[in-house]
Amino acid sequence: AGSHYAVCQGYKEKNGNCASLRSKRKSNLSSRIFRRKHKTYSKKNDITIVGLSKWINECSKSSYLLGNNHHVNIPNPINTKIFKKFDKDSARDLWNLPKNKKLVLFGAMSATSDPRKGFNELRKAFKLLTCSEVELIVFGSSKPKDSPDLGFPTHYLGKLSDDVSLSTLYSAVDVTVVPSLQENLANCIVESLACGTPVVGFEIDGNGDMIEHKKNGFLAKPFKSEDLALGIEWVLNAKNYDELSFNARSKILKEFDSTIVAERYIDLYKQILS
């Protein structure tokens, strides 16, 4: 009832206590909000819950407050006319990035300071890479004062504020790595795939809704840096890289394009109204 991240299983229980508050009181803020929600929701029997990922849908189904409601899985949409493939060489010229290197992209808000974003796991994975022609691109964070030595040149691009810049950046790199420890339906994954850039991430939460293992990316064993490194090198060395890139965009066009998602919502509204 109070957490943005699943730090406990309190949402499945009747009391609604939230571990994040670290309160021993039986009637803390979380439990009071929980009771208020329960009182409100119990008056409605026609609520439909839309979960953005299959994982969050199952979480909602197992919750004490929402478990008895109708659930539907519909993802967030993406504008595939903006997030699309750009010529790789031209994109690297725009960002002043080397053309003779394998570029790995990592991006998130507070990318290097929020442990849930997996920068520590990525750092360990980089130390295990055997490919020498690699450089790391980081966006969403400026260069830390004590920037870690990853063994490879690292470019910190800071925060990007427009989608066109993001699209050219995704197009400039060879692989995007999303090593998050918790993730519902990461925008970074959808955006990268829409631009034809394969993605490597842990096989957790909603990642499998987007990343198809060894078809448009690589799903690493949860929190295993050695498997994350394996996935990065697998993509970088893939002889069928063009096929991976094609599959990446095709996946988004078929399931996440804004027109497709809008049609699914229209169908849902018609179903509810009928």
Side-chain angles (χ1 to χ4, degrees), residues 125-136 148-155 233:
F126 254 70
K127 292 182 178 180
L128 298 173
L129 294 181
T130 58
C131 179
S132 59
E133 299 300 311
V134 171
E135 295 192 8
L136 177 62
D149 180 12
L150 300 172
F152 299 93
T154 304
H155 308 262
E233 293 202 325

Side-chain angles (χ1 to χ4, degrees), residues 163-181:
D163 293 341
V164 174
S165 294
L166 273 172
S167 296
T168 59
L169 183 57
Y170 288 121
S171 298
V173 302
D174 297 289
V175 62
T176 299
V177 185
V178 182
S180 304
L181 310 187

Side-chain angles (χ1 to χ4, degrees), residues 49 56 138 152 217 221 226:
I49 309 298
I56 202 70
V138 179
F152 299 93
K221 296 172 184 176
E226 58 270 25

Side-chain angles (χ1 to χ4, degrees), residues 41-57:
Y41 295 166
S42 62
K43 297 176 183 177
K44 299 285 291 180
N45 59 6
D46 58 351
I47 298 175
T48 295
I49 309 298
V50 177
L52 301 182
S53 68
K54 296 182 181 72
W55 166 75
I56 202 70
N57 225 28

Side-chain angles (χ1 to χ4, degrees), residues 95-138:
W95 289 100
N96 196 29
L97 295 171
K99 294 180 180 179
N100 60 340
K101 299 291 184 178
K102 299 286 188 179
L103 301 185
V104 179
L105 182 67
F106 168 63
M109 296 297 291
S110 304
T112 58
S113 59
D114 185 344
R116 282 184 292 254
K117 297 304 179 183
F119 187 71
N120 286 333
E121 285 68 22
L122 181 63
R123 179 172 55 185
K124 293 175 185 176
F126 254 70
K127 292 182 178 180
L128 298 173
L129 294 181
T130 58
C131 179
S132 59
E133 299 300 311
V134 171
E135 295 192 8
L136 177 62
I137 316 299
V138 179

